[in-house]
Amino acid sequence: MRYSETLLPTLKETPADAEVISHQLMLRAGFIRKLTAGVYSYLPLGLKAIRKVENIVREEMNRAGAQELLLPMVQPAELWKETGRYQKYGPELLRFKDRHERESCLGPTHEEVITDLARREIHSWRNLPINLYQIQTKFRDEIRPRFGLMRGREFIMKDAYSFDVSDEAALISYQKMFDAYKRIFTRCGLDFRAVQADSGAIGGNYSHEFMVLAATGEDTIVVCNECDYAANMEKAEVAAPAAGNDDAPLDLEKVETPGKRKVVTVCEFLGINPQQLVKTMVYRVEKGDEVEFVAVCVRGDREVEEVKLKNLLGASEVELAEDKAVFDATGVPTGYLGPVGIRIRLVADQEVAAMRNFYAGGNEKNIHMKNINCGRDFTPEAVADLRQITIEDPCPQCGGRLSLTEGIEVGHVFKLGTRYSEAMNATFQDSDGLEKPLAMGCYGIGVTRVVAAAIEQNHDRDGIIFPLPLAPMQVVIVNLGTDDEEITGAAENLYAELQAEGVDVLLDDREERPGIKFKDADLLGIPWRITVGRGFKKDGNFELRNRRSGEVESLAPESAARELKSRIVRELQID
Ligand code: ATP
Ligand code: MG
C-alpha cells in the first residue's frame, strides 16, 4: 500500500465528540468516519484491522468444526412472531414495512432465521451435531450509541448457532466454542477473562462472557484474587449470610419519622446505622403481557440486583416503579414502605431474613417500625440472593478476597436449550425413532468491538500500538528522501521485497516533512517502522524501530525483508 494513493485521512486534533481513547484514535488515524449516530464507514485501514479479526475468528471457528454461511439481514416479522420476540424485543429491533406492507425487521441477531433454516433442512440425528456461523453486519437501534465502534447501531458480529440431539450433547458443543473463543482472544493479543454471565431463565453456568479488561469497559466484573472465579456483577452469587445473632426478639414498635424518607436521613434521625435498617423497593414486573408490582427488601446499605430479581420472578422485564405507581399499588408514599403488612407480593434478600430486630418503613406516612423480625412479623413469598455483591463479600467459590474490574464484552457463549426450537417446531428424528426438539446454543463475537477493545488496551500518548495479529499494516517504510534517487530506490526495493514475502506493508512515499511521517506512523500503531533516510546515505543501513518498545536497531538492506518476515512469522506462530 502506498500512502500517497491511500485514503488515510489522519487528524492532528482530537475530535471533540469522541469520549473514549479508541474512538478518538480510530477517528484520528483515519480508520472510521461517522455517517450518522452509531453508524460508521470503515475506511481502508480500519477495514484491514477488522479483516484481521475476522480471519482469526474464521480460522478458529473452522478449526472447531463450524461451517460458515451467510444469512439475510432483512427478516420477515412472521418468524419473530413465532418466538414471541417481535413484541418482546425492545425498540432496538428496527421494524419497518416493505412496499407490499409486509412487516419486516433488520437482524439484530439470527436465532429465528437459523432455526427456520434448521427446521427445513435438518431432519435426522444423522445430521447432528452441526454448528453454523456467519460474519455479518447487525443492526440494533441502541438507545445510546456511543464510543464509536464500541457501541454502534450498525456493527459487525460473528454469530454461531449449534444444534444437537440432547442437552448433554449441546454441552460438548458449548465447550468447543468456549475453547475456540479462548484461542481467538489469545491470538488477538488481548488481555481477557471468561466470566460467568447471567443465563436468564435457563440457570446454571451455561453462559459466559468474554471480557477484555479495560478501564473504559461498560461492564463490571467480579474477580477473585485467590482463585479463578470471575463473574459478571449481575450474576455474581452472594454467599448466604451466617445465621442471625441470638438476640431475643423485642416487641414491634412504631416510631415517628416525619418527612424522613431516605435511608441516610432516617438513620441520622433515629441514630442508627443502615445495617440495622431494611429498605423496601417496589418494582414494576412484566411477564409476557401481564404487569404487576412486587416489593423487594434488602438491607439499608445494599443494592437490589435487578437481574437476580428478574430471574427469581421469571419476568421478562423489571423496573423500579414510579412514585405514583407505588402509591397506587400499596397505598403508601415511597419512603415509608416496609415489609410488615404490605399489600403487594413481597420477596426478601437472604440477608434480611437473618437480621434481628431491624427497622423499616411502617407502611404509613411519617412512620417507621422497629424490632421487626422476619417470620414473626412478616413472611416473604421468597427469600433469595437478590442483592449486588460487594468487595467486602467473600468469593462464592473459595471464600477469598474479591475485587472489581471493568471489562468490555467482546464475546458471549450461551446455551439456549430448546427455547427456539420448541417455539418454532424445529425437530429431528432421534436414533430411537422419536421426534425431538433440537438442542441449541448461540455464540457471538463483536468483531468491530474487538478492534476498539484492542485499542483501549494498547495505546500511548502518540497513538495506537497494535498487537501484531490485528495490525492493519505490519510494517511501515518511511521514505525520507522522496527527491533522492538512492533513498527512494532502496525504499522501493524493500517495499517490493516485503510485498513478495506476503508482509502487510505501507510505504510512506508522501512528500511530507519527517516529523509528520513519524507522527502518522506512531498514530497508526504499525508494529515495525523502517526509516530510509540520511542514515542510509551515511552507512548504508536502514533504521528499524519497534512501536511498542521504542527500541531502535540497524538493518542491512540485503537481509531486511527476510529478517522482518521471520520475526513476524515467529510472533504470529500458534500452536
Ligand atoms: P451489550 O450487553 O454490550 O449490549 P449484548 O449482550 O446485547 O451486548 P450479544 O447479543 O451477546 O450482545 O451480542 C454478541 C456480541 O456482539 C457482544 O458480546 C458484543 O461484543 C457485540 N455487540 C453487541 N452489541 C453491540 C453494539 N451495539 N456495538 C458493537 N458490538 C456489539
Ligand atoms: Mg451478551
Side-chain angles (χ1 to χ4, degrees):
M1 215 173 203
R2 284 174 190 278
Y3 207 133
S4 62
E5 296 169 359
T6 305
L7 180 62
L8 192 36
T10 56
L11 306 172
K12 266 209 231 64
E13 306 296 329
T14 300
D17 59 341
E19 292 167 62
V20 298
I21 196 78
S22 59
H23 189 195
Q24 293 170 359
L25 288 175
M26 281 173 124
L27 287 168
R28 284 190 53 208
F31 287 2
I32 57 169
R33 285 294 181 262
K34 177 162 134 181
L35 180 63
T36 180
V39 178
Y40 290 85
S41 303
Y42 311 129
L43 274 52
L45 240 65
L47 182 62
K48 279 200 185 300
I50 291 170
R51 292 283 187 250
K52 290 275 167 107
V53 177
E54 289 182 358
N55 288 340
I56 292 173
V57 168
R58 189 172 276 120
E59 279 177 30
E60 294 300 332
M61 291 304 291
N62 293 345
R63 177 205 288 266
Q67 298 164 47
E68 185 168 7
L69 46 53
L70 189 55
L71 303 167
M73 189 184 178
V74 172
Q75 310 182 1
E78 281 72 48
L79 282 184
W80 286 73
K81 287 181 180 163
E82 286 188 50
T83 59
R85 285 212 294 182
Y86 199 64
Q87 295 78 13
K88 248 191 271 162
Y89 212 103
E92 284 75 27
L93 181 67
L94 186 64
R95 302 159 169 91
F96 60 95
K97 284 189 179 150
D98 67 12
R99 65 162 74 197
H100 303 294
E101 291 290 300
R102 282 185 294 239
E103 286 182 286
S104 310
C105 58
L106 286 186
T109 176
H110 280 68
E111 282 83 5
E112 280 79 2
V113 173
I114 199 87
T115 308
D116 178 59
L117 186 73
R119 72 178 160 191
R120 290 167 195 276
E121 311 303 336
I122 299 172
H123 301 295
S124 158
W125 61 276
R126 288 191 181 82
N127 307 126
L128 299 170
I130 194 164
N131 187 327
L132 302 165
Y133 78 97
Q134 62 173 341
I135 297 175
Q136 191 217 30
T137 298
K138 295 281 187 274
F139 193 91
R140 294 183 181 179
D141 202 354
E142 300 269 358
I143 184 165
R144 220 174 293 115
R146 55 182 187 162
F147 303 161
L149 298 196
M150 201 89 88
R151 182 167 298 283
R153 293 196 300 154
E154 189 174 299
F155 58 97
I156 301 175
M157 196 202 285
K158 184 282 301 177
D159 46 328
Y161 306 87
S162 64
F163 298 91
D164 278 279
V165 292
S166 67
D167 225 38
E168 300 80 71
L171 272 186
I172 299 172
S173 297
Y174 182 87
Q175 189 60 41
K176 268 193 193 158
M177 283 296 105
F178 186 90
D179 296 340
Y181 273 40
K182 282 218 285 214
R183 287 181 59 91
I184 288 168
F185 297 120
T186 304
R187 278 187 64 186
C188 287
L190 296 170
D191 182 13
F192 70 96
R193 283 265 204 155
V195 309
Q196 292 177 16
D198 172 50
S199 44
I202 296 178
N205 289 333
Y206 302 126
S207 171
H208 285 88
E209 283 165 356
F210 286 77
M211 296 282 187
V212 166
L213 306 182
T216 43
E218 294 182 282
D219 291 276
T220 304
I221 329 169
V222 183
V223 294
C224 179
N225 300 328
E226 281 138 66
C227 75
D228 65 354
Y229 181 80
N232 195 314
M233 183 84 164
E234 51 190 41
K235 155 89 186 180
E237 291 156 40
V238 177
N245 58 33
D246 295 332
D247 290 0
L250 302 174
D251 288 345
L252 191 64
E253 268 177 51
K254 278 187 186 181
V255 286
E256 286 196 23
T257 48
K260 312 291 180 219
R261 300 156 38 124
K262 290 215 159 70
V263 171
V264 270
T265 45
V266 171
C267 286
E268 235 166 59
F269 182 73
L270 294 174
I272 57 172
N273 64 45
Q275 286 92 319
Q276 295 170 269
L277 182 78
V278 162
K279 56 183 178 185
T280 306
M281 327 282 288
V282 175
Y283 279 85
R284 181 181 185 277
V285 175
E286 267 180 47
K287 211 179 203 176
D289 295 336
E290 288 166 43
V291 173
E292 101 177 282
F293 292 89
V294 177
V296 186
C297 282
V298 292
R299 205 172 80 179
D301 56 336
R302 305 300 195 190
E303 298 304 327
V304 174
E305 177 48 72
E306 294 180 2
V307 171
K308 292 179 180 175
L309 178 67
K310 190 171 146 186
N311 290 342
L312 176 74
L313 299 174
S316 43
E317 209 57 67
V318 300
E319 182 187 29
L320 211 50
E322 309 266 343
D323 286 358
K324 181 172 179 313
V326 173
F327 186 78
D328 289 347
T330 63
V332 181
T334 33
Y336 302 103
L337 282 161
V340 183
I342 193 165
R343 292 212 308 239
I344 55 174
R345 285 174 70 189
L346 173 76
V347 295
D349 179 55
Q350 51 187 0
E351 198 172 37
V352 170
M355 287 166 72
R356 290 283 169 275
N357 299 323
F358 63 77
Y359 289 76
N363 289 325
E364 226 180 287
K365 192 170 178 190
N366 298 336
I367 297 290
H368 275 70
M369 279 183 185
K370 65 189 271 194
N371 300 332
I372 307 175
N373 289 283
C374 180
R376 182 190 73 175
D377 304 317
F378 69 100
T379 308
E381 180 184 303
V383 172
D385 169 20
L386 289 173
R387 72 164 169 93
Q388 245 172 33
I389 202 163
T390 71
I391 48 169
E392 278 84 42
D393 287 302
C395 165
Q397 192 166 284
C398 77
R401 256 177 349 101
L402 295 174
S403 45
L404 300 182
T405 64
E406 309 298 311
I408 301 168
E409 179 192 330
V410 287
H412 196 167
V413 293
F414 203 104
K415 185 164 160 285
L416 286 173
T418 54
R419 186 157 114 213
Y420 291 92
S421 50
E422 279 188 49
M424 296 182 65
N425 204 19
T427 60
F428 70 100
Q429 194 174 54
D430 206 351
S431 53
D432 55 14
L434 293 177
E435 202 70 15
K436 295 177 186 168
L438 290 158
M440 291 174 59
C442 70
Y443 317 93
I445 290 181
V447 171
T448 34
R449 189 183 281 184
V450 167
V451 177
I455 295 173
E456 288 295 329
Q457 229 173 41
N458 298 278
H459 64 266
D460 63 9
R461 260 188 24 235
D462 300 321
I464 303 169
I465 308 177
F466 268 113
L468 187 65
L470 301 191
M473 288 286 135
Q474 298 164 323
V475 178
V476 53
I477 303 170
V478 182
N479 176 351
L480 290 187
T482 44
D483 51 2
D484 182 309
E485 245 175 68
E486 209 182 329
I487 289 178
T488 300
E492 289 284 344
N493 241 340
L494 179 63
Y495 177 58
E497 283 174 11
L498 283 170
Q499 280 192 316
E501 293 278 9
V503 171
D504 294 318
V505 53
L506 176 68
L507 173 63
D508 192 346
D509 56 348
R510 294 174 300 170
E511 279 166 29
E512 286 285 2
R513 282 182 288 118
I516 289 183
K517 293 189 172 193
F518 289 147
K519 271 211 163 63
D520 280 338
D522 280 351
L523 176 61
L524 297 174
I526 301 173
W528 297 105
R529 184 186 85 194
I530 296 185
T531 307
V532 189
R534 238 183 307 164
F536 170 72
K537 285 283 255 204
K538 236 194 303 174
D539 63 11
N541 284 332
F542 299 151
E543 181 201 89
L544 175 68
R545 182 169 173 275
N546 182 292
R547 172 69 180 90
R548 192 177 289 274
S549 67
E551 238 170 89
V552 173
E553 41 189 313
S554 143
L555 263 191
E558 313 81 71
S559 56
R562 226 179 321 118
E563 171 61 24
L564 266 172
K565 168 76 178 179
S566 76
R567 286 191 197 193
I568 288 169
V569 168
R570 230 179 303 139
E571 207 179 316
L572 291 181
Q573 216 154 40
I574 44 165
D575 37 61

